[in-house]
Amino acid sequence: MDKSTFEERKTIRGEMHVSQRHDSAHKHVSGTADYIDDMPEPAGTLHGALGMTDRAHAEITAMDLSAVAAVPGVMLVLTAKDMPHSNDISPSHLHDEPVLADGLVQFHGQPAFAVIAETRDIARRAARLAKITYRDLPHFTDILDAVAHGGQLVTQPLTLQRGDAEAELEKAPRRLKGSMRVGGQEHFYLEGHIALAIPGEDDEVTVWSSTQHPSEIQHMVSHVLGVPSNAVTVNVRRMGGGFGGKETQGNQFAALAAVAAKKLNRAVKFRPDRDEDMTATGKRHDFLVDYDVGFDDEGRIHAVHANYAARCGYSSDLSGPVTDRALFHADSSYFYPHVKLTSQPLKTNTVSNTAYRGFGGPQGMVGGERIIEEIAYQLGKDPLEIRKLNFYGDKGSGRDVTPYHQQVEDNIIAQIVAELEESADYQARRQAILAFNRESRVIRKGIALTPVKFGISFTMTAFNQAGALVHIYQDGSIHLNHGGTEMGQGLYIKVAQVIADSFQVDLDRVRITATTTGKVPNTSATAASSGSDLNGMAAFDAARQIKDRLVGFACERWQTTPENVSFVANHVKIGEELIPFPEFIKQAYMGRIQLSAAGYYKTPKIHWDRASGRGTPFYYFAYGAAVSEVSIDTLTGEYMVDRVDVLHDVGRSLNPAIDLGQIEGGFVQGMGWLTTEELWWDDKGRLRTHAPSTYKIPLASDRPKIFNVKLAEWSSNAEKTIGRSKAVGEPPFMLPISVLEALSMAVASVADYRECPRLDAPATPERVLMAVERLRNR
């Protein structure tokens, strides 16, 4: 760009706060994006399959694998005793999750062996020839059954309390008790789990894994093999979706592939089919919420006592922090003057549940919103009126402290709700729906406005750190690598925009490269909505280091001062002289200036003491609200989502187009969790909803017929996040609680809104119909 062109275009293409297309969008729609199964396989690649058990809880008394090993093309059969160093891949300190079952089966479908063969088909067919003899043991798959038989826990529970909830419940003018079942959810990523292990020299192995947590895979593979972490390199270019299901659940496939690869000195790939993936990997925790609430005649809450019991599965996995976060969000957007919240992470003979978008927060929040709904129906008021009455107050108001004793300093929920209430014409529409329901015999409508307040940070303080690596080559092109992983959410493009903005160069000058443990070590999972916050700031730090060196070089070379050096629109401006960026970089190289930097960032201010239930686990809160309108058929229970209006807070958006997509996608996924996605185990402990034929995710036709999504453009993060932006991955997931409550209102209309229908989630058409019939018969 010469000076005349510079005058024509004084801006760059790709700075922060501007909509840019996803870097792989054109590849996604054209089918040219390379996933692990698209990569050319090394010569002689072998394929693995899991050997799965068919008991929910049993001792293995005999396992005859001779027929498996005898199949032509089978190269190796692995069992627990074949793990070189350890048979444990548990992400927790309890070490309670084996790679392969060793004599004890704890859930139906638990892998007990693995087959390595010349083709995937041979491996899968051979795995079915095993002869396993069992001694059956009692099994419990449901929360209530687990509680009835002793309530064994998989990890330590948590208690959050402030004030004296028990005493204030007794003194409250009004009091109610209730319970709510909140269902689980299958991740249903488009790309299932997959791992490709390629053996190297000595003890080295390279693993390509579809994982949100490359360092976790590195750690687990090295642990199972008995080699140091520096011998294991894990690579991830992109995933076809993750949603939390690839935070820990890839450990098993990567470990088995690596063990087989080192034993046979050949590349090994594991890619389970959808049934196996859904059977053998964990899901969102389902909860039973029991609540006891005291309040006054206006609807102001005095005290809350609630217990969150969760179906965790057979091992701890991430159930501790998931159930903790459920308690962190049990207050939703409301101040509880006196509160006691307890978690109950129950052991069941089901696959060990794991992370899922929101990480327990949605389950906690839907319980908190049910309390508001219950109060509203008992008082005969609009739930929105009760919500507003109980919102957190401003800092210093005395109504600004959470049950975990963190002060809410950035509260904008009242402003968000007020703006949405007006823009969506909520009050007039509610009155019109009430009038419609008085006249309509079969079709009934409902409308609800629900808020979201979601804490941003890993509650494990150590995970709130990130690294990045930035190189500038002699031609002025930039190489970017960081510890975050791309699962379709647009993290890579956002961090690339940070670099482009920092150097004031066009976005196409920045090369985004695959995440690898060989470049950025000790990475945290891309989770907790913190990918952009952490990795964006780490990349910014790396850019800052290089820019400081370049400014120092310019000052020395041009005999000037730092304030006379600036980066502007693909140029470096030194005094009045404009030097094209590539030319300046070439001169810096010739001047022996280091053009590479490793950036680092750790989130400030946060701390958490789990033992006392006190601290500041979240750096800030993200806010939002949604109005949903639905119609139900009272004869069949079928329903439609007629209209949704969303106003969501993302601070100063790094990329508005990406953020809008995340809000829309999160809403539809959350709507699926609360309406159509149902997990069901039979009396033998078998998951029967294990395929698209039996598990119903939302279709394109299920999206709201009118779907208005807007960013709160006036918002800016008070904390020093990258570009003053806010996280957008998880918070929108809870917006469709408004759909559940709108369905509840439509159901309640058949009994003239006299009582809360207490719809459990998912509110399937069957549950809606049963609720309608129950209220009609009162």
Side-chain angles (χ1 to χ4, degrees), residues 29 167 283 299 429 552 616 620 624:
V29 298
K283 307 163 196 330
R429 289 167 59 198
T616 303
Y620 62 88

Side-chain angles (χ1 to χ4, degrees), residues 83-86 88-89 99 219-226 255 259:
M83 299 302 106
H85 177 71
S86 173
D88 174 65
I89 48 167
V99 182
H219 173 71
M220 290 301 170
V221 168
S222 68
H223 179 60
V224 172
L225 289 177
V259 168

Side-chain angles (χ1 to χ4, degrees), residues 702-715:
D702 294 317
R703 69 179 292 278
K705 302 303 176 280
I706 300 172
F707 199 8
N708 302 315
V709 179
K710 184 181 177 183
L711 303 180
E713 295 178 355
W714 44 264
S715 175

Side-chain angles (χ1 to χ4, degrees), residues 120 182 192 255 265 356 373 394 430 443 520 528 552 662 681:
R120 183 168 172 268
V182 183
N265 200 31
Y356 199 128
E373 188 183 24
D394 294 332
R430 177 177 166 83
I443 304 300
V520 177
Q662 284 293 290
W681 284 263

Side-chain angles (χ1 to χ4, degrees), residues 248-304:
T248 65
Q249 300 296 286
N251 294 346
Q252 183 172 52
F253 305 102
L256 288 171
V259 168
K262 293 304 288 184
K263 282 183 177 290
L264 297 171
N265 200 31
R266 290 171 68 174
V268 174
K269 181 191 287 188
F270 266 84
R271 178 173 66 82
D273 73 358
R274 182 68 65 176
D275 290 79
E276 293 167 343
D277 192 310
M278 291 180 72
T279 299
T281 63
K283 307 163 196 330
R284 179 184 295 281
H285 294 68
D286 50 337
F287 277 73
L288 173 63
V289 185
D290 292 301
Y291 49 88
D292 187 352
V293 56
F295 56 101
D296 60 28
D297 291 339
E298 290 185 349
R300 190 181 297 273
I301 293 172
H302 288 202
V304 172

Side-chain angles (χ1 to χ4, degrees), residues 185-186 188 278 639 668-669 671-679 689-699 702 762 764-766:
Q185 189 178 21
E186 166 61 35
F188 220 95
M278 291 180 72
Y639 49 80
V668 172
Q669 189 178 44
M671 191 176 72
W673 164 56
L674 292 171
T675 60
T676 66
E677 299 184 45
E678 186 171 27
L679 297 166
T689 49
H690 57 80
S693 58
T694 53
Y695 186 80
K696 297 176 68 66
I697 63 170
L699 305 175
D702 294 317
T764 59
E766 293 86 351

Side-chain angles (χ1 to χ4, degrees), residues 65-105:
L65 303 177
S66 57
V68 178
V71 173
V74 170
M75 308 297 292
L76 179 68
V77 180
L78 294 171
T79 62
K81 70 179 188 305
D82 296 310
M83 299 302 106
H85 177 71
S86 173
N87 187 42
D88 174 65
I89 48 167
S90 172
S92 83
H93 67 282
L94 298 175
H95 304 296
D96 56 356
E97 190 168 334
V99 182
L100 296 170
D102 188 9
L104 178 66
V105 177

Side-chain angles (χ1 to χ4, degrees), residues 468-485:
L469 184 64
V470 175
H471 306 314
I472 305 181
Y473 295 105
Q474 293 181 49
D475 63 354
S477 62
I478 301 172
H479 173 111
L480 166 65
N481 195 272
H482 55 79
T485 58

